[in-house]
Amino acid sequence: MSMRIVIIGNSATAVGAVESIRQYDQAAEVMIISEEPHMIYSRPLLSHYLAGEIERPRLAYRGADFYVKHHVAAVLEDRVTAIEPDAHRVHTASGAEYAYDKLLIATGGQPIVPPTPGQEAEGVFTMTRLLDAERLLTYLRTHTVRRAVVVGGGMIGMKVTDALVKRGLEVTMVELAPLILSAALDQTASQMLSGLLRQAGVEIHTGNSVSEIGARGGHVAEVALKDGRTLPCDTVIFGVGVRPNVELARQAGLRVNRGIVVDEYMRTSAVDVYAAGDVAEAYDLVVDMNRTVAIWPNAYRQGMIAGAHMVGVLRPDKGGVAMNTVEAMGVPAMSIGYGNAPEGEYEVVTELDAPRHVYRRLVVKENRLVGAILVGQIERAGIYTGLIRHRIDISEHRRNLLSGHLSLLSLPDQYRKHVVRGVGIEV
Amino acid sequence: MKRIVIHEEYCIGCHLCEIHCLVQHSSSRDIIKAYRLERSHLMPRVLVEESGPISFALQCRQCEEPACIEACISGAMHRDERTGAVICDESKCVGCWMCIMVCPAGAIRQNLLGTRIASKCDLCYGADVPACVAHCPNEALTYEEVGEGR
Ligand SMILES: Cc1cc2nc3c(=O)[nH]c(=O)nc-3n(C[C@H](O)[C@H](O)[C@H](O)COP(=O)(O)OP(=O)(O)OC[C@H]3O[C@@H](n4cnc5c(N)ncnc54)[C@H](O)[C@@H]3O)c2cc1C
């Protein structure tokens, strides 16, 4: 009898797993179970969809033939309610029961919604699922919405704000921290992006929060801020971030911290149970410890590693690097690794060209690049990422690399050869 | 799968590869028309790296484990089923630059000339020999079947 693999989740992690399973093995039975009714779509594209930049069909991350082509049985619109690791079985809300030989938990995250009086009013949204985007778009079509309050000045809040501005709304962003994007950027980069948002008419309140949502006729009419101010508005969108969906794992007795703890093959503490993607606490090579990092490339890669291991192929994880891209009014920004590391403990090299909205901050520790923040000019940024990921000693080429002169000719010979050949890097 | 092999020692830094790459990806495929009429939205997908006397032409390295495919949020970056080449489906790309953030060779560029898209080498899709290789006057680029563990 062939092996039976069950994957809970139908997103980046699941796709990485399926594609890698089929790279090595055609015989295993693979089943995907997902709570959402949709085919595989791209969560990060939701903000582009919201902005009106793309139509709904373009949300599809893989073709409609994905399941057929990879021989996957997809059970959509059903939620896994329990895992029995000893019996190797999962139960779903519809009452179904599925046996597995190997299980992958790829349940991602939940939007964080700080409990706020009045949050049940109509016109209050989160923005992590296609359903959320459809609901908000419907609300925008059927109601007069001029002013939006976005709660959260992190990556998601930023993307939602940019999208709503593109739709022509007046947006106010409310962020608890003293700076927006403070988890990823340093003060200079953060202030550059706030400046750009303000130029586009966005009002930003940092060091502040929404203490209450006021409604009129059941619909959002205003928010009260912690500092006592009241802002009239027609919709409130929570874009605070995500919390890993670990309840299933916890109830099943798996080892869970903030995320599900996994090893270099994405194995959890339970036999034959793997976890990967936003829900997993995997190794981050920059901070040199396990932690949750909710980004697409990590999800896909961890899915691949788990999938390979399930069918007996060892592709140990060398660790992820936290990174993301955002944009404010057409100016792109990137944060890679520990880009906002404090000066002193780390060597920090910066260059700022404020009028042109160009900024670069490179962070070095013991002759190795550990982080980068780039605003405005992002060409060839992956060269930095490669140096971080492979922990390359840059002492020979410090000057060129740190001055932003990004060329393969500025890389150490041995490493350059690997990059140029496109093979796996062992240096 | 065939790959473009770079021979640094033969590169004379003439940039003909860039010119012919641009022409090959124009709709006229004619050097004069491409430069006269289509230049505004075209850019070469090969880049000559230069530092003093050293130079070489760089295009996508066709990595065995492409970081760009892992990082792509739109599904545009993919491995072509027929040829095995890593290709960006420009009709799906949204220009988020995740691929640029992870390409260790810096071989993907922003094309902001038309709709924003990530621009990269497609091995001159379907061609027997990519244009940059065919037009290199000094065989600094060759197109070869290169096995694993090159
Ligand atoms: C608006 C927005 C913008 C983003 N932009 C970027 C970006 O630009 N770059 C980037 O790298 N990342 C971005 N991200 C993060 C990225 O989307 C995530 O890292 C990625 O989706 C994680 O994939 P995943 O497969 O681990 O989990 P998810 O994508 O969260 O998918 C979880 C899956 O599990 C299913 N599921 C959950 N619980 C159950 C259950 N009990 N039973 C059955 N099914 C269940 C869900 O239906 C879903 O299919 C963004 C996220 C958002 C919300």
Side-chain angles (χ1 to χ4, degrees):
Chain A
M1 226 187 69
S2 59
M3 176 169 50
R4 180 159 191 167
I5 296 172
V6 172
I7 301 172
I8 313 175
N10 187 30
S11 183
T13 306
V15 175
V18 167
E19 290 182 348
S20 113
I21 290 167
R22 289 294 177 236
Q23 184 183 343
Y24 305 114
D25 186 303
Q26 304 311 316
E29 282 177 44
V30 179
M31 173 182 277
I32 279 179
I33 307 175
S34 175
E35 183 176 16
E36 288 173 276
H38 317 285
M39 293 278 302
I40 297 157
Y41 69 90
S42 165
R43 222 167 283 290
L45 288 193
L46 290 177
S47 57
H48 298 256
Y49 180 51
L50 189 57
E53 292 172 340
I54 58 170
E55 300 291 325
R56 181 158 163 168
R58 272 180 73 186
L59 290 173
Y61 173 63
R62 288 293 185 258
D65 58 351
F66 180 84
Y67 302 124
V68 174
K69 227 169 60 190
H70 292 88
H71 308 291
V72 172
V75 177
L76 304 182
E77 229 175 331
D78 200 2
R79 191 165 51 85
V80 174
T81 49
I83 301 169
E84 288 183 85
D86 294 334
H88 280 56
R89 224 173 14 219
V90 302
H91 297 266
T92 71
S94 73
E97 215 183 89
Y98 301 100
Y100 64 81
D101 294 307
K102 309 269 179 192
L103 175 70
L104 173 59
I105 306 174
T107 48
Q110 287 273 342
I112 297 167
V113 180
T116 312
Q119 70 189 62
E120 62 293 328
E122 271 201 70
V124 179
F125 301 91
T126 52
M127 192 45 59
T128 57
R129 296 193 162 195
L130 179 47
L131 193 63
D132 301 327
E134 294 293 13
R135 280 190 188 136
L136 175 54
L137 286 170
T138 304
Y139 197 76
L140 296 182
R141 262 194 306 271
T142 52
H143 297 76
T144 314
V145 178
R146 269 187 32 237
R147 286 165 302 201
V149 167
V150 174
V151 183
M155 286 290 172
I156 294 182
M158 185 75 191
K159 283 171 202 263
V160 171
T161 298
D162 198 55
L164 294 178
V165 169
K166 284 178 178 149
R167 285 203 83 88
L169 270 66
E170 282 172 38
V171 187
T172 301
M173 194 188 234
V174 182
E175 164 62 44
L176 193 60
L179 293 168
I180 65 163
L181 293 163
S182 56
L185 303 182
D186 71 326
Q187 184 171 348
T188 308
S190 169
Q191 284 171 347
M192 286 171 85
L193 295 197
S194 338
L196 285 160
L197 286 179
R198 288 198 171 104
Q199 269 177 33
V202 177
E203 219 180 281
I204 303 176
H205 298 275
T206 52
N208 215 330
S209 60
V210 171
S211 52
E212 191 173 349
I213 298 170
R216 206 168 300 125
H219 295 266
V220 171
E222 61 181 32
V223 296
L225 299 186
K226 191 184 66 183
D227 71 0
R229 254 183 283 203
T230 303
L231 307 172
C233 63
D234 311 304
T235 181
V236 175
I237 298 135
F238 285 96
V240 176
V242 292
R243 181 168 44 78
N245 278 326
V246 294
E247 290 72 21
L248 281 176
R250 188 170 279 142
Q251 279 163 19
L254 273 58
R255 207 177 137 217
V256 175
N257 292 330
R258 180 174 148 78
I260 305 173
V261 181
V262 294
D263 71 3
E264 60 187 335
Y265 298 110
M266 307 299 143
R267 288 180 296 196
T268 67
S269 61
V271 179
D272 295 327
V273 181
Y274 299 72
D278 282 9
V279 77
E281 204 169 286
Y283 183 62
D284 179 312
L285 67 89
V286 173
V287 297
D288 189 26
M289 60 179 204
N290 283 40
R291 65 162 170 169
T292 56
V293 176
I295 59 168
W296 192 272
N298 281 10
Y300 185 89
R301 199 192 69 255
Q302 292 170 10
M304 277 200 314
I305 291 166
H309 195 274
M310 288 180 175
V311 296
V313 178
L314 303 186
R315 287 173 68 167
D317 183 25
K318 298 187 184 97
V321 176
M323 57 174 103
N324 220 321
T325 63
V326 284
E327 203 169 287
M329 308 310 121
V331 176
M334 289 180 177
S335 144
I336 308 166
Y338 199 3
N340 59 0
E343 261 172 284
E345 198 184 331
Y346 294 81
E347 186 186 342
V348 175
V349 182
T350 59
E351 197 174 309
L352 174 65
D353 180 350
R356 290 177 52 234
H357 305 297
V358 174
Y359 177 59
R360 182 177 62 250
R361 183 181 206 263
L362 299 173
V363 182
V364 179
K365 190 176 187 186
E366 287 151 12
N367 284 318
R368 283 167 173 82
L369 195 64
V370 295
I373 291 171
L374 304 171
V375 182
Q377 261 176 29
I378 52 135
E379 282 283 52
R380 311 195 78 188
I383 294 178
Y384 288 134
T385 307
L387 290 168
I388 295 171
R389 182 168 287 169
H390 302 291
R391 298 191 169 107
I392 303 300
D393 186 328
I394 59 163
S395 16
E396 269 180 83
H397 297 276
R398 278 181 66 91
R399 224 168 8 105
N400 274 341
L401 286 171
L402 300 184
S403 69
H405 181 70
L406 276 180
S407 158
L408 294 196
L409 290 167
S410 313
L411 300 181
D413 284 349
Q414 205 50 30
Y415 176 62
R416 169 159 55 119
K417 279 190 192 133
H418 283 289
V419 171
V420 165
R421 285 181 196 156
V423 288
I425 292 157
E426 304 297 338
V427 282
Chain B
M1 183 195 149
K2 277 193 168 176
R3 291 181 159 88
I4 298 173
V5 179
I6 298 170
H7 306 277
E8 194 176 298
E9 61 282 19
Y10 297 141
C11 179
I12 53 174
C14 67
H15 295 250
L16 278 176
C17 49
E18 293 177 353
I19 293 168
H20 287 282
C21 176
L22 189 146
V23 174
Q24 176 70 23
H25 292 90
S26 66
S27 45
S28 63
R29 304 246 170 127
D30 175 278
I31 188 165
I32 297 168
K33 286 189 185 130
Y35 271 78
R36 276 250 165 90
L37 309 170
E38 300 181 61
R39 188 79 196 272
S40 62
H41 62 273
L42 289 174
M43 59 190 283
R45 294 145 189 252
V46 54
L47 157 89
V48 177
E49 294 264 28
E50 286 171 296
S51 163
I54 308 172
S55 65
F56 65 88
L58 174 83
Q59 57 299 86
C60 165
R61 301 286 77 217
Q62 300 294 336
C63 295
E64 281 168 13
E65 291 178 19
C68 57
I69 294 183
E70 278 175 35
C72 179
I73 58 165
S74 69
M77 209 58 88
H78 68 287
R79 223 181 243 296
D80 185 67
E81 278 173 34
R82 198 166 61 78
T83 63
V86 180
I87 287 182
C88 177
D89 177 346
E90 295 180 357
S91 69
K92 294 190 83 178
C93 180
V94 296
C96 73
W97 320 129
M98 292 284 292
C99 53
I100 290 179
M101 184 164 60
V102 299
C103 174
I108 307 173
R109 316 296 298 270
Q110 293 175 276
N111 184 340
L112 301 167
L113 301 172
T115 50
R116 335 153 19 118
I117 41 171
S119 170
K120 75 178 280 297
C121 169
D122 57 0
L123 293 175
C124 294
Y125 193 75
D128 288 339
V129 181
C132 56
V133 176
H135 290 92
C136 178
N138 206 30
E139 292 182 26
L141 293 172
T142 54
Y143 199 43
E144 295 171 32
E145 198 65 55
V146 198
E148 300 287 300
R150 283 155 292 156

